[in-house]
C-alpha cells in the first residue's frame, strides 16, 4: 500500500483530429450556398491555423464552422489564441489562430497553488510544459482531477499517465 500513484496534467491539441476537423470544415464551406464563389480557406501552418475569407463576416462564419467541427472531434477550442484580422491578397481578409500546446508557466504556478491550497496529501511538480501530481491515496489524486476540471485555468487540461 506504500507505493506512490501519480498522473500528469497536460494541455495538448491532437493534430490529427485538428486536421480532420479542418478538412470537414472545408468540405462544408465548399457545399454551402452562402459561400458559393467565395475565396474562403483554412490552412494549418506548424502551430497556427490561417483562416482566409472575402470579408470579416464570412471570416467569422468560417471560424464558427471550424469551431463546431473541432468540438465534435474533441479538439479543445480553449487552446486557440486568435490574432487580429488583417487584409490579405485580392481583397480578402486573414486571421491567424495560434494553437497553445502545453501549460505555460503562469498557468502551471496557478495549478500548483490550487493543489497546495486544497490540503490534499499530494505532491505536484512542474516538469516543463506539464505537471506531475503524485500521492499515496488514489482518492486524493481523483479529488485533484475533479477540482481542476471544475476550475478555470485558461487552457483545456488532460490527465494522462495515471499510474498506481
Amino acid at each position: 500500500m506504500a507505493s506512490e500513484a501519480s498522473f500528469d496534467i497536460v494541455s495538448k491539441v491532437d493534430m490529427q483530429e485538428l486536421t480532420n476537423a479542418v478538412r470537414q470544415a472545408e468540405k462544408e464551406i465548399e457545399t454551402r450556398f452562402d459561400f458559393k464563389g467565395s475565396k474562403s480557406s483554412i490552412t494549418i501552418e506548424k502551430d497556427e491555423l490561417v483562416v482566409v475569407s472575402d470579408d470579416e463576416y464570412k471570416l467569422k462564419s468560417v471560424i464558427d464552422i471550424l469551431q463546431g467541427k473541432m468540438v465534435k472531434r474533441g479538439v479543445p477550442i480553449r487552446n486557440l489564441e486568435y490574432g487580429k484580422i488583417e487584409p490579405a491578397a485580392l481583397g480578402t481578409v486573414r486571421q491567424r489562430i495560434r494553437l497553445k500546446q502545453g501549460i505555460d508557466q503562469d498557468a502551471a504556478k496557478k495549478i500548483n497553488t490550487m493543489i497546495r491550497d486544497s490540503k490534499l496529501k499530494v505532491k505536484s511538480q512542474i516538469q516543463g510544459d506539464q505537471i506531475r501530481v503524485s500521492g499515496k491515496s488514489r482518492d486524493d489524486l481523483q479529488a485533484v482531477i475533479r477540482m481542476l476540471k471544475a476550475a478555470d485555468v485558461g487552457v483545456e487540461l488532460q490527465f494522462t499517465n495515471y499510474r498506481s
Side-chain angles (χ1 to χ4, degrees):
M1 175 84 191
S3 67
E4 290 253 317
S6 68
F7 68 89
D8 294 333
I9 304 170
V10 297
S11 180
K12 292 195 177 357
V13 175
D14 184 350
M15 293 307 281
Q16 184 62 48
E17 287 298 328
L18 179 68
T19 304
N20 292 340
V22 167
R23 283 191 187 131
Q24 286 181 339
E26 285 180 326
K27 273 186 183 173
E28 183 172 328
I29 290 166
E30 286 173 16
T31 59
R32 278 189 37 176
F33 178 76
D34 53 338
F35 285 103
K36 265 302 184 246
S38 167
K39 298 180 194 86
S40 300
S41 69
I42 307 166
T43 54
I44 301 174
E45 296 177 0
K46 291 185 183 169
D47 62 342
E48 274 188 337
L49 290 172
V50 180
V51 182
V52 178
S53 194
D54 297 336
D55 52 50
E56 283 189 37
Y57 176 74
K58 280 191 178 165
L59 184 78
K60 296 231 184 285
S61 296
V62 171
I63 290 172
D64 285 344
I65 293 168
L66 176 64
Q67 286 178 343
K69 300 300 179 187
M70 288 173 69
V71 167
K72 281 184 182 174
R73 299 207 66 90
V75 179
I77 60 174
R78 292 180 70 188
N79 288 19
L80 300 178
E81 197 172 89
Y82 297 92
K84 64 181 194 323
I85 297 173
E86 54 197 37
L90 302 171
T92 58
V93 291
R94 173 190 320 123
Q95 185 171 22
R96 293 187 178 278
I97 305 170
R98 197 173 74 77
L99 302 169
K100 291 191 268 186
Q101 296 276 34
I103 302 171
D104 64 337
Q105 288 299 315
D106 294 335
K109 287 177 185 172
K110 182 179 174 184
I111 291 169
N112 247 353
T113 306
M114 289 171 58
I115 292 171
R116 223 176 299 115
D117 293 346
S118 70
K119 304 289 186 222
L120 294 166
K121 292 182 180 175
V122 294
K123 293 183 295 237
S124 62
Q125 57 201 46
I126 301 172
Q127 297 179 335
D129 62 351
Q130 67 183 25
I131 300 172
R132 165 84 36 99
V133 180
S134 57
K136 286 188 167 70
S137 168
R138 290 185 198 161
D139 293 339
D140 286 349
L141 293 177
Q142 290 171 347
V144 168
I145 292 174
R146 278 194 303 277
M147 176 189 65
L148 291 175
K149 281 184 178 178
D152 180 31
V153 283
V155 290
E156 190 76 26
L157 300 175
Q158 291 100 24
F159 306 96
T160 60
N161 291 339
Y162 190 86
R163 296 191 186 102
S164 52

